[in-house]
């Protein structure tokens, strides 16, 4: 996804493999600009293959696709699956020509689905959109009645009345009102009028606004790093480039940075339906990609998207986002959609970065980096002997690369440009792939007459004619070479400096869940080795703490077992031995028994479930160490069964033991611990164990607010429980 599609990676690798060894060496050692110049000649023979690959990415508007999605949408609508219908009508709209009756029809259909979902405001927006895109006049009464109903639901009585009057007039003017449709509409009309007259409209519906930002946190901003907390300071080293260091102790959950991304691109996501297997296939499918879920520009979640006028893959949350995106970058990217999808997100980010920065700023910094005296700053690890701060010869002061002349860090293209590209550390093959890909983008810009738009950062129509005609040679214009050099630099930087935002991941890498070798492996893409205390301890002690706790014990005397494939009892007097495989099989059987117990619970056979779990527990004690996580799971399940029976004290007792094990394995402030405490709080709450419940709620809140944020449903539920407990009458409190 981040890198180009596999076929193009293979093409580039083949191309690299057959190069003369001398040329390969020259390419590997050449500065970026020089390598690009050589690369232009090498791209030619690969161009046709890349074009074939691009044809698989369907990014244009296709009437057949529009028809397919609209019919699918109608089907889902008929089955009352309104959410799916909204999405499918959106996909249909993206394939219809802009300002056509067809696209208007998509918006009108979508408004009906939105109405059923209770999104009245958005429904009104879609109706307005349908009207402005040329919705067929004869169908208008139906849509206007929906509009009146929305207004009514929103409590806008006057607007609703006005709309109804308009519908009535329209139907009178249209004449004959004998068709079944018209009769139905008339019935609806009179029904709505009665509702208005009687004032019987429902409570004005409030639409949910989920993303209310809370700015309650005290935020002390750093004097020299905009958007950073004062607990941080900015450093520079030859090995790491510009980086942040903690200058004060940092509490878990404390906010450290609030910076808007200089550039962001929506990842198309895995299983991308835009990339079909075969170009001859015209089969459309209803799979959902990120392009259907998030705004192409601001990445907000989409409800009723607005399609780009030119392509089928850019969808926006609002007309404003569509306009801003077009102005800033999309008018250049729009015709390049298939190429950008084929070359992957890193190339896409690189292009958008230079488009946002503008040619003059890009060229200023590229020229600066070509200057010999600045080379080491741009690619610091090549130099190797710089002090931790760098003397800016011009100003005669210490300035960290990327900061302004006053030494202050601010989000800017200059700051992005000065991130380390690690040119020396990437493999020559990888650099070659990136280089060919960037050349492909620039060639395309040159051929399609978009060059002028890129260079001026202004309207694409001005002066593009003269610039582009006749440029079919292998060469790129000097200006495009500058853009290409910057883009190549950005692609190489991205591996170490880009942030991919996926959905909130609760169980991220942590020393309690992952061994040191796995953790270090994750860091290798950043050319970085962690030397934190946890890593050092684990590397030195050679003890695999995670597996130690999840070990077997002797089935004969319960002492610990030692060995690899053959396990021997550590108690010499016992000398019991057994194969690891046997015990592993026994563990598997035990887990199956546990699953069966849970099934019993689901079938409301709680008593049988308890019996089975207790049997599992006896069995587990025979061959698992008391600290084994499965012991905790058994306790957790027992707690669950007792809770369904309303035996709160027993439930709390079992959960308490589970919590001990979770704390041992995952640590006292882990998210796992938070979840267990949350369960305990619920049990104590239900059992009226007021003071215990209150203290458990507080512990759970402290942990979960760090991991899940103060807006999470769990935190809110905890707070509701607390309020409820504090409001209990004294008489009940004294009883407990
Ligand atoms: Zn948006
Ligand atoms: Zn577009
Ligand atoms: Zn570490
Ligand atoms: Zn033994």
């Amino acid at each position: 996804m981040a890198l180009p599609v596999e076929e193009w990676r293979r093409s580039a690798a083949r191309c690299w493999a057959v190069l003369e060894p001398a040329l390969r060496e020259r390419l590997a050692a050449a500065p970026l600009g020089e390598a690009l110049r050589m690369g232009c000649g090498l791209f030619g023979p690969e161009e046709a293959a890349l074009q074939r690959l691009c044809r698989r990415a369907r990014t244009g508007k296709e009437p057949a696709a529009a028809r397919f999605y609209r019919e699918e949408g109608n089907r889902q609508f008929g089955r009352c699956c309104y959410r799916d219908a909204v999405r499918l009508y959106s996909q249909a709209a993206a394939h219809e020509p802009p300002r056509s009756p067809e696209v208007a029809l998509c918006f009108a259909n979508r408004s009906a689905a939105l109405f059923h979902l209770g999104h009245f405001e958005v429904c009104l927006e879609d109706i307005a959109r349908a009207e402005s895109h040329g919705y067929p006049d004869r169908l208008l009464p139906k849509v206007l009645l929906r509009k009146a109903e929305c207004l009514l639901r929103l409590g806008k009585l006057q607007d609703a009345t006005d709309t109804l009057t308009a519908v009535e007039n329209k139907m009178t003017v249209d004449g004959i009102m004998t068709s079944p449709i018209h009769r139905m509409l008339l019935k609806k009309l009179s029904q709505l009028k009665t509702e208005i007259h009687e004032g019987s409209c429902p409570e004005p519906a409030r639409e949910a606004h989920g993303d209310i930002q809370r700015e309650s946190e005290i935020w002390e901003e750093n004097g020299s790093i905009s958007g950073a907390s004062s607990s941080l300071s900015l450093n520079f080293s030859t090995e790491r480039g510009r980086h942040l260091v903690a200058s004060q102790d940092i509490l878990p959950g404390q906010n450290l940075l609030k910076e808007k991304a200089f550039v962001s691109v929506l990842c198309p996501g895995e299983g991308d339906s835009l990339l079909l297997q075969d170009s001859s296939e015209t089969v459309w499918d209803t799979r959902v990609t990120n392009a259907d879920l998030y705004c192409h520009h601001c990445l907000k979640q989409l409800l009723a998207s607005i399609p780009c006028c030119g392509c089928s893959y850019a969808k926006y949350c609002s007309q404003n986002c569509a306009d801003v995106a077009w102005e800033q970058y999309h008018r250049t990217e729009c015709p390049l959609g298939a190429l950008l999808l084929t070359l992957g997100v890193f190339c896409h980010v690189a292009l958008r970065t230079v488009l946002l920065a503008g040619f003059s700023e890009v060229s200023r910094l590229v020229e600066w980096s070509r200057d010999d005296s600045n080379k080491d700053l741009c690619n610091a690890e090549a130099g190797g002997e710089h002090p931790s701060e760098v003397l800016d010869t011009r100003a005669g002061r210490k300035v960290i690369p990327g900061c302004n002349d006053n030494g202050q860090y601010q989000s800017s293209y200059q700051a992005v440009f000065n991130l380390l590209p690690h040119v020396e550390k990437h493999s020559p093959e990888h650099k070659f792939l990136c280089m060919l890909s960037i050349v492909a983008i620039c060639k395309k810009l040159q051929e399609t007459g978009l060059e002028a738009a890129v260079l001026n950062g202004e309207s694409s129509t001005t002066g593009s004619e003269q610039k582009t005609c006749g440029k079919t040679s292998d060469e790129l214009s000097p200006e495009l070479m500058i853009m290409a050099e910057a883009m190549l630099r950005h692609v190489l930087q991205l591996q170490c400096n880009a942030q991919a935002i996926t959905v909130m991941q609760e169980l991220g890498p942590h020393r309690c869940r992952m061994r040191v070798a796995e953790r270090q492996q994750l860091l290798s893409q950043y050319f970085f080795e962690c030397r934190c205390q946890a890593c050092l301890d684990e590397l030195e002690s050679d003890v695999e703490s995670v597996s130690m706790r999840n070990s077997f014990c002797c089935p004969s005397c319960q002492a610990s077992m030692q060995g690899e494939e053959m396990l021997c009892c550590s108690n010499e007097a016992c000398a019991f031995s057994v194969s690891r495989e046997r015990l592993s099989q026994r563990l598997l059987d035990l887990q199956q028994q546990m699953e069966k117990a849970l099934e019993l619970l689901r079938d409301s056979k709680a008593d049988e479930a308890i019996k089975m779990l207790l049997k599992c527990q006896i069995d587990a004690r025979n061959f698992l160490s008391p600290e084994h996580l499965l012991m905790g799971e058994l306790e957790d399940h027992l707690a669950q069964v007792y809770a369904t029976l309303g035996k709160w004290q027993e439930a709390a007792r079992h959960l308490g033991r589970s919590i001990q094990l979770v704390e041992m394995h995952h640590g006292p402030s882990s998210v796992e611990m938070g979840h267990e405490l949350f369960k305990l709080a619920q049990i104590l709450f239900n059992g009226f164990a007021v003071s215990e419940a209150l203290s458990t709620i507080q512990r759970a809140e402290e942990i979960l607010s760090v991991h899940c944020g103060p807006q999470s449903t769990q935190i809110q539920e905890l707070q509701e429980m607390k309020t409820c407990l504090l409001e209990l009458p004294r008489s009940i409190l004294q009883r407990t």
Side-chain angles (χ1 to χ4, degrees):
M1 188 174 60
L3 292 174
V5 296
E6 203 192 330
E7 292 88 340
W8 174 238
R9 294 209 299 269
R10 278 207 299 263
S11 289
R14 266 198 305 274
C15 181
W16 172 259
V18 298
L19 289 182
E20 292 282 321
L23 180 54
R24 258 190 274 174
E25 243 166 68
R26 266 186 24 238
L27 270 169
L32 298 181
E34 190 54 39
L36 277 162
R37 237 179 301 284
M38 292 189 254
C40 285
L42 297 168
F43 173 66
E46 305 299 318
E47 192 166 3
L50 183 59
Q51 273 172 359
R52 257 197 315 281
L53 290 172
C54 287
R55 276 200 286 274
R56 302 188 319 186
R58 318 292 282 262
T59 55
K61 295 193 183 288
E62 299 189 36
R67 226 173 303 127
F68 168 80
Y69 286 123
R70 203 172 49 233
E71 280 161 18
E72 283 293 317
N74 289 342
R75 263 234 320 262
Q76 295 301 333
F77 190 93
R79 298 168 53 195
C80 302
C81 299
Y82 300 117
R83 218 160 263 291
D84 290 335
V86 166
R87 186 176 46 73
L88 288 158
Y89 290 139
S90 299
Q91 280 175 295
H95 279 282
E96 298 286 13
R99 287 171 296 277
S100 64
E102 288 84 7
V103 78
L105 209 64
C106 292
F107 291 139
N109 286 354
R110 193 170 69 181
S111 76
L114 287 165
F115 180 84
H116 283 286
L117 290 169
H119 293 292
F120 303 117
E121 309 262 13
V122 194
C123 173
L124 286 174
E125 286 171 21
D126 256 3
I127 291 172
R129 237 168 255 143
E131 285 183 273
S132 71
H133 280 76
Y135 191 68
D137 204 46
R138 63 195 162 80
L139 300 173
L140 215 49
K142 198 172 151 194
V143 173
L144 288 178
L145 279 180
R146 187 177 303 138
K147 182 175 170 181
E149 209 170 343
C150 272
L151 292 166
L152 188 64
R153 299 289 183 99
L154 291 167
K156 298 178 178 169
L157 294 190
Q158 191 53 50
D159 292 345
T161 313
D162 294 349
T163 309
L164 283 181
T165 314
V167 187
E168 236 173 338
N169 292 341
K170 173 111 191 61
M171 290 173 76
T172 321
V173 171
D174 285 354
I176 324 142
M177 286 184 244
T178 48
S179 75
I181 291 273
H182 270 110
R183 276 203 299 275
M184 195 194 77
L185 290 177
L186 279 173
K187 205 175 131 202
K188 183 94 206 167
L189 181 67
S190 66
Q191 187 190 329
L192 282 177
K193 278 165 80 174
T194 328
E195 278 184 35
I196 292 181
H197 185 72
E198 291 170 355
S200 69
C201 68
E203 290 267 296
R206 291 213 155 267
E207 294 201 23
H209 290 288
D211 50 359
I212 307 158
Q213 286 284 316
R214 276 214 327 201
E215 289 289 324
S216 55
E217 202 208 349
I218 308 136
W219 172 261
E220 203 184 315
E221 188 164 317
N222 199 296
S224 56
I225 320 166
S226 81
S229 135
S230 55
S231 313
L232 299 173
S233 68
L234 195 65
N235 267 20
F236 180 86
S237 78
T238 50
E239 185 195 357
R240 291 173 190 177
R242 191 175 69 226
H243 60 275
L244 293 167
V245 178
S247 55
Q248 289 170 30
D249 282 347
I250 293 167
L251 297 169
Q254 192 184 328
N255 279 341
L256 295 178
L257 286 172
K258 290 183 196 168
E259 188 183 45
K260 197 166 174 288
F262 180 81
V263 57
S264 53
V265 164
L266 179 64
C267 294
E270 315 280 348
D272 184 0
S273 73
L274 293 165
L275 287 171
L276 292 176
Q277 286 305 306
D278 191 335
S279 60
S280 65
E281 256 178 85
T282 46
V283 182
W284 297 93
D285 64 46
T286 55
R287 270 183 299 174
V288 186
T289 73
N290 281 342
D292 302 310
L293 297 174
Y294 304 99
C295 175
H296 189 75
H297 179 67
C298 74
L299 312 180
K300 242 186 14 211
Q301 229 165 352
L302 292 174
L303 179 57
S305 62
I306 295 170
C308 170
C309 295
C311 66
S312 63
Y313 73 95
K315 303 186 184 78
Y316 300 96
C317 71
S318 63
Q319 193 57 47
N320 184 50
C321 273
D323 295 343
V324 172
W326 186 263
E327 214 29 63
Q328 290 184 345
Y329 54 84
H330 193 66
R331 70 199 146 105
T332 309
E333 289 181 9
C334 189
L336 267 57
L339 180 64
L340 293 172
L341 277 175
T342 307
L343 294 179
V345 173
F346 280 179
C347 284
H348 195 168
V349 175
L351 172 63
R352 192 171 293 177
T353 307
V354 296
L355 291 177
L356 290 173
F359 178 71
S360 62
E361 186 66 0
V362 172
S363 104
R364 181 178 78 83
L365 284 157
V366 169
E367 298 290 354
W368 173 83
S369 73
R370 283 174 180 173
D371 186 332
D372 272 339
S373 58
N374 298 321
K375 266 207 175 107
D376 296 337
L377 291 184
C378 307
N379 192 20
E381 87 253 288
E385 277 173 28
H386 284 282
S388 68
E389 279 180 288
V390 174
L391 201 69
D392 184 347
T393 44
R394 188 164 37 84
R397 259 179 313 162
K398 285 173 174 182
V399 169
I400 290 175
C403 293
N404 65 19
D405 290 344
N406 300 322
Q408 282 186 325
Y409 170 83
Q410 243 156 0
S411 172
S412 66
Y413 182 63
Q414 184 179 335
V416 172
F417 191 88
N418 278 285
L419 295 168
L420 287 193
H422 293 282
V423 176
E424 323 289 315
K425 287 181 180 162
H426 291 284
S427 73
E429 291 94 327
H430 178 70
K431 276 192 283 184
F432 185 70
L433 166 71
C434 296
M435 194 251 313
L436 279 193
S437 305
I438 295 301
V439 169
I441 293 178
C442 292
K443 279 273 169 69
K444 181 93 178 168
L445 289 172
Q446 189 162 277
E447 279 162 25
T448 47
L450 290 162
E451 186 184 355
V454 175
L455 301 185
N456 303 339
E458 281 160 20
S459 168
S460 55
T461 49
T462 53
S464 60
E465 318 281 310
Q466 316 96 297
K467 279 231 136 181
T468 53
C469 62
K471 270 254 178 72
T472 47
S473 69
D474 279 344
E475 299 222 336
L476 292 172
S477 70
E479 293 86 0
L480 267 185
M481 281 303 289
I482 287 177
M483 289 303 240
E485 186 173 333
M487 274 193 258
L488 182 53
R489 184 182 174 83
H490 297 323
V491 172
L492 296 175
Q493 288 170 334
L494 280 166
Q495 183 178 317
C496 303
N497 294 294
Q499 309 278 338
I501 301 180
T502 51
V503 278
M504 181 78 165
Q505 255 184 350
E506 216 169 53
L507 301 177
H510 191 277
R511 71 189 167 86
C512 294
R513 303 182 193 102
M514 221 181 238
R515 293 178 194 174
V516 64
E518 293 171 78
R519 301 200 300 268
Q520 299 279 356
Q521 177 62 32
L522 281 180
L523 289 171
S524 66
Q525 85 166 84
Y526 304 103
F527 310 117
F528 182 76
E529 212 177 291
C530 181
R531 278 172 235 123
C532 78
Q533 204 54 49
C535 285
L536 288 178
D537 286 352
E538 221 176 311
L539 281 170
E540 260 169 42
S541 71
D542 211 36
V543 174
E544 293 182 359
S545 54
V546 177
S547 62
M548 273 291 279
R549 289 195 217 102
N550 276 327
S551 61
F552 296 116
C553 73
C554 172
S556 170
C557 74
Q558 276 76 53
S560 64
M561 296 295 277
Q562 293 168 333
E564 284 301 316
E565 271 164 38
M566 209 53 203
L567 294 170
C568 293
C569 180
S570 59
N571 172 7
E572 277 174 33
C574 171
F576 185 90
S577 78
V578 61
S579 72
R580 180 178 288 273
E581 203 188 331
R582 276 242 342 248
L583 290 185
S584 299
Q585 185 56 45
R586 210 169 149 184
L587 180 61
L588 226 59
D589 293 343
L590 189 63
Q591 279 163 331
Q592 276 170 4
Q593 289 292 306
M594 209 166 76
E595 283 305 317
K596 276 189 197 149
L598 290 180
E599 251 167 61
L600 287 171
L601 180 62
R602 277 192 290 273
D603 295 342
S604 319
K605 295 176 185 159
D607 289 333
E608 287 176 52
I610 289 177
K611 262 187 220 144
M612 197 156 212
L613 285 171
L614 289 174
K615 223 181 105 240
C616 286
Q617 218 173 21
I618 292 168
D619 190 26
R621 282 194 191 116
N622 268 324
F623 72 105
L624 296 179
S625 68
E627 297 85 25
H628 200 287
L629 258 186
L630 193 98
M631 295 298 221
E633 278 174 52
L634 282 167
E635 296 285 4
D636 188 274
H637 295 323
L638 278 165
Q640 197 186 341
V641 187
Y642 282 116
T644 60
L645 294 172
K647 297 188 174 174
W648 308 114
Q649 281 187 2
E650 256 112 332
R653 197 158 45 82
H654 285 286
L655 201 56
R657 291 199 208 120
S658 161
I659 287 175
Q660 279 178 2
L661 283 178
V662 167
E663 181 165 0
M664 192 188 286
H665 278 265
H666 300 293
S669 51
S670 61
V671 68
E672 290 91 343
M673 191 66 181
H675 291 320
E676 290 298 293
L677 287 170
F678 179 80
K679 286 189 225 166
L680 183 61
Q682 284 178 317
I683 285 171
L684 294 169
F685 175 86
N686 289 331
F688 281 114
V690 178
S691 61
E692 275 178 278
L694 283 173
S695 66
T696 308
I697 287 171
Q698 193 182 335
R699 275 178 77 195
E701 242 183 309
E702 278 165 16
I703 296 170
L704 288 173
S705 63
V706 168
H707 289 281
C708 313
Q711 301 291 324
S712 69
T713 50
Q714 288 190 328
I715 292 288
Q716 277 164 9
E717 201 171 315
L718 286 169
Q719 274 161 356
E720 277 163 28
M721 283 195 267
K722 187 159 65 182
T723 319
C724 189
L725 288 173
L726 293 173
E727 281 169 3
L728 280 179
R730 262 168 189 274
S731 56
I732 294 179
L733 289 179
Q734 276 156 3
R735 205 188 55 175
T736 57

